Amino acid sequence: MFDRITTTPEIMDGQPTIRGMRFPVKTVVRMVAQGMTDEQIVAEHPDLEPEDIRAALRYAAAVLDSETYLPLTRTA
């Protein structure tokens, strides 16, 4: 399921990265959250592929399914 997401102790201190590159998953997720399109992300980072972006988002969603959530302000 996460064949594009890798962790290697020697690369980015073991953070989840895209295909063994020095490109953390969290960086991709942040770019999407900031409103960048797939096309903008790939244009700015040509080593990435559109499927890398989808894989990063799937990985982030899976982590949220299995981790403790950050505290948020409660709404009425």
PDB file of all heavy atoms in Angstrom, residues 1 9-10 12 14-15 17-18 27 34 39 48 61 63 66:
ATOM      1  N   MET A   1       0.817  -1.192   0.000  1.00  0.00           N
ATOM      2  CA  MET A   1       0.000   0.000   0.000  1.00  0.00           C
ATOM      3  C   MET A   1       0.865   1.263   0.000  1.00  0.00           C
ATOM      4  O   MET A   1       0.518   2.254  -0.593  1.00  0.00           O
ATOM      5  CB  MET A   1      -0.924  -0.012   1.212  1.00  0.00           C
ATOM      6  CG  MET A   1      -1.799   1.196   1.294  1.00  0.00           C
ATOM      7  SD  MET A   1      -2.951   1.042   2.648  1.00  0.00           S
ATOM      8  CE  MET A   1      -3.957   2.458   2.359  1.00  0.00           C
ATOM      9  N   PRO A   9      17.099   4.723   8.299  1.00  0.00           N
ATOM     10  CA  PRO A   9      17.756   5.502   9.365  1.00  0.00           C
ATOM     11  C   PRO A   9      18.771   6.522   8.838  1.00  0.00           C
ATOM     12  O   PRO A   9      18.916   7.598   9.403  1.00  0.00           O
ATOM     13  CB  PRO A   9      18.437   4.444  10.220  1.00  0.00           C
ATOM     14  CG  PRO A   9      17.656   3.195   9.979  1.00  0.00           C
ATOM     15  CD  PRO A   9      17.184   3.281   8.550  1.00  0.00           C
ATOM     16  N   GLU A  10      19.440   6.212   7.743  1.00  0.00           N
ATOM     17  CA  GLU A  10      20.475   7.099   7.208  1.00  0.00           C
ATOM     18  C   GLU A  10      19.915   8.271   6.403  1.00  0.00           C
ATOM     19  O   GLU A  10      20.646   9.193   6.058  1.00  0.00           O
ATOM     20  CB  GLU A  10      21.451   6.316   6.314  1.00  0.00           C
ATOM     21  CG  GLU A  10      22.195   5.216   7.020  1.00  0.00           C
ATOM     22  CD  GLU A  10      21.363   3.934   7.164  1.00  0.00           C
ATOM     23  OE1 GLU A  10      20.474   3.678   6.335  1.00  0.00           O
ATOM     24  OE2 GLU A  10      21.599   3.197   8.136  1.00  0.00           O
ATOM     25  N   MET A  12      17.290  11.314   6.356  1.00  0.00           N
ATOM     26  CA  MET A  12      16.404  12.189   7.119  1.00  0.00           C
ATOM     27  C   MET A  12      16.096  11.610   8.503  1.00  0.00           C
ATOM     28  O   MET A  12      14.963  11.694   8.983  1.00  0.00           O
ATOM     29  CB  MET A  12      15.112  12.467   6.345  1.00  0.00           C
ATOM     30  CG  MET A  12      15.288  13.062   4.950  1.00  0.00           C
ATOM     31  SD  MET A  12      16.096  14.665   4.924  1.00  0.00           S
ATOM     32  CE  MET A  12      14.899  15.680   5.740  1.00  0.00           C
ATOM     33  N   GLY A  14      15.455   8.731   9.484  1.00  0.00           N
ATOM     34  CA  GLY A  14      14.400   7.734   9.525  1.00  0.00           C
ATOM     35  C   GLY A  14      12.991   8.262   9.330  1.00  0.00           C
ATOM     36  O   GLY A  14      12.028   7.507   9.445  1.00  0.00           O
ATOM     37  N   GLN A  15      12.862   9.548   9.019  1.00  0.00           N
ATOM     38  CA  GLN A  15      11.528  10.079   8.736  1.00  0.00           C
ATOM     39  C   GLN A  15      10.961   9.391   7.496  1.00  0.00           C
ATOM     40  O   GLN A  15      11.709   9.018   6.597  1.00  0.00           O
ATOM     41  CB  GLN A  15      11.604  11.577   8.410  1.00  0.00           C
ATOM     42  CG  GLN A  15      11.949  12.475   9.539  1.00  0.00           C
ATOM     43  CD  GLN A  15      11.938  13.915   9.074  1.00  0.00           C
ATOM     44  OE1 GLN A  15      10.974  14.361   8.461  1.00  0.00           O
ATOM     45  NE2 GLN A  15      13.017  14.630   9.342  1.00  0.00           N
ATOM     46  N   THR A  17       9.907   9.148   3.953  1.00  0.00           N
ATOM     47  CA  THR A  17      10.265   9.941   2.784  1.00  0.00           C
ATOM     48  C   THR A  17       9.662   9.344   1.520  1.00  0.00           C
ATOM     49  O   THR A  17       9.151   8.223   1.527  1.00  0.00           O
ATOM     50  CB  THR A  17      11.801  10.033   2.607  1.00  0.00           C
ATOM     51  OG1 THR A  17      12.315   8.704   2.434  1.00  0.00           O
ATOM     52  CG2 THR A  17      12.475  10.703   3.779  1.00  0.00           C
ATOM     53  N   ILE A  18       9.753  10.097   0.457  1.00  0.00           N
ATOM     54  CA  ILE A  18       9.251   9.654  -0.843  1.00  0.00           C
ATOM     55  C   ILE A  18      10.335   8.859  -1.552  1.00  0.00           C
ATOM     56  O   ILE A  18      11.430   9.372  -1.817  1.00  0.00           O
ATOM     57  CB  ILE A  18       8.841  10.865  -1.716  1.00  0.00           C
ATOM     58  CG1 ILE A  18       7.821  11.747  -1.003  1.00  0.00           C
ATOM     59  CG2 ILE A  18       8.344  10.406  -3.079  1.00  0.00           C
ATOM     60  CD1 ILE A  18       6.490  11.095  -0.727  1.00  0.00           C
ATOM     61  N   THR A  27       6.642  17.215   4.161  1.00  0.00           N
ATOM     62  CA  THR A  27       6.820  18.371   3.284  1.00  0.00           C
ATOM     63  C   THR A  27       5.775  18.368   2.178  1.00  0.00           C
ATOM     64  O   THR A  27       5.192  19.410   1.857  1.00  0.00           O
ATOM     65  CB  THR A  27       8.246  18.376   2.700  1.00  0.00           C
ATOM     66  OG1 THR A  27       9.187  18.425   3.779  1.00  0.00           O
ATOM     67  CG2 THR A  27       8.462  19.555   1.773  1.00  0.00           C
ATOM     68  N   GLN A  34      -1.081  23.937   1.991  1.00  0.00           N
ATOM     69  CA  GLN A  34      -0.919  25.354   1.666  1.00  0.00           C
ATOM     70  C   GLN A  34      -1.619  25.730   0.362  1.00  0.00           C
ATOM     71  O   GLN A  34      -1.579  26.879  -0.041  1.00  0.00           O
ATOM     72  CB  GLN A  34       0.565  25.715   1.581  1.00  0.00           C
ATOM     73  CG  GLN A  34       1.256  25.666   2.928  1.00  0.00           C
ATOM     74  CD  GLN A  34       2.768  25.778   2.822  1.00  0.00           C
ATOM     75  OE1 GLN A  34       3.351  25.705   1.751  1.00  0.00           O
ATOM     76  NE2 GLN A  34       3.418  25.920   3.964  1.00  0.00           N
ATOM     77  N   GLU A  39       0.337  19.874  -9.988  1.00  0.00           N
ATOM     78  CA  GLU A  39       1.146  20.433 -11.064  1.00  0.00           C
ATOM     79  C   GLU A  39       2.188  21.414 -10.521  1.00  0.00           C
ATOM     80  O   GLU A  39       3.342  21.409 -10.958  1.00  0.00           O
ATOM     81  CB  GLU A  39       0.262  21.118 -12.103  1.00  0.00           C
ATOM     82  CG  GLU A  39      -0.624  20.177 -12.888  1.00  0.00           C
ATOM     83  CD  GLU A  39      -1.888  19.730 -12.120  1.00  0.00           C
ATOM     84  OE1 GLU A  39      -2.262  20.378 -11.104  1.00  0.00           O
ATOM     85  OE2 GLU A  39      -2.476  18.720 -12.528  1.00  0.00           O
ATOM     86  N   LEU A  48       9.631  14.598  -8.011  1.00  0.00           N
ATOM     87  CA  LEU A  48       8.367  14.031  -7.536  1.00  0.00           C
ATOM     88  C   LEU A  48       7.444  13.737  -8.702  1.00  0.00           C
ATOM     89  O   LEU A  48       7.503  14.380  -9.749  1.00  0.00           O
ATOM     90  CB  LEU A  48       7.674  15.002  -6.574  1.00  0.00           C
ATOM     91  CG  LEU A  48       8.354  15.253  -5.248  1.00  0.00           C
ATOM     92  CD1 LEU A  48       7.534  16.241  -4.423  1.00  0.00           C
ATOM     93  CD2 LEU A  48       8.531  13.966  -4.472  1.00  0.00           C
ATOM     94  N   ALA A  61      -3.057  10.068   6.131  1.00  0.00           N
ATOM     95  CA  ALA A  61      -4.381   9.656   6.609  1.00  0.00           C
ATOM     96  C   ALA A  61      -4.282   8.391   7.445  1.00  0.00           C
ATOM     97  O   ALA A  61      -4.936   8.265   8.487  1.00  0.00           O
ATOM     98  CB  ALA A  61      -5.326   9.440   5.424  1.00  0.00           C
ATOM     99  N   VAL A  63      -1.694   7.412   9.211  1.00  0.00           N
ATOM    100  CA  VAL A  63      -1.073   7.772  10.490  1.00  0.00           C
ATOM    101  C   VAL A  63      -2.117   8.374  11.416  1.00  0.00           C
ATOM    102  O   VAL A  63      -2.165   8.052  12.606  1.00  0.00           O
ATOM    103  CB  VAL A  63       0.117   8.731  10.269  1.00  0.00           C
ATOM    104  CG1 VAL A  63       0.579   9.350  11.576  1.00  0.00           C
ATOM    105  CG2 VAL A  63       1.265   7.999   9.594  1.00  0.00           C
ATOM    106  N   SER A  66      -4.165   5.934  13.236  1.00  0.00           N
ATOM    107  CA  SER A  66      -3.523   5.079  14.234  1.00  0.00           C
ATOM    108  C   SER A  66      -2.834   5.833  15.368  1.00  0.00           C
ATOM    109  O   SER A  66      -2.327   5.211  16.283  1.00  0.00           O
ATOM    110  CB  SER A  66      -2.484   4.197  13.543  1.00  0.00           C
ATOM    111  OG  SER A  66      -1.447   4.994  13.011  1.00  0.00           O
TER     112      SER A  66
END
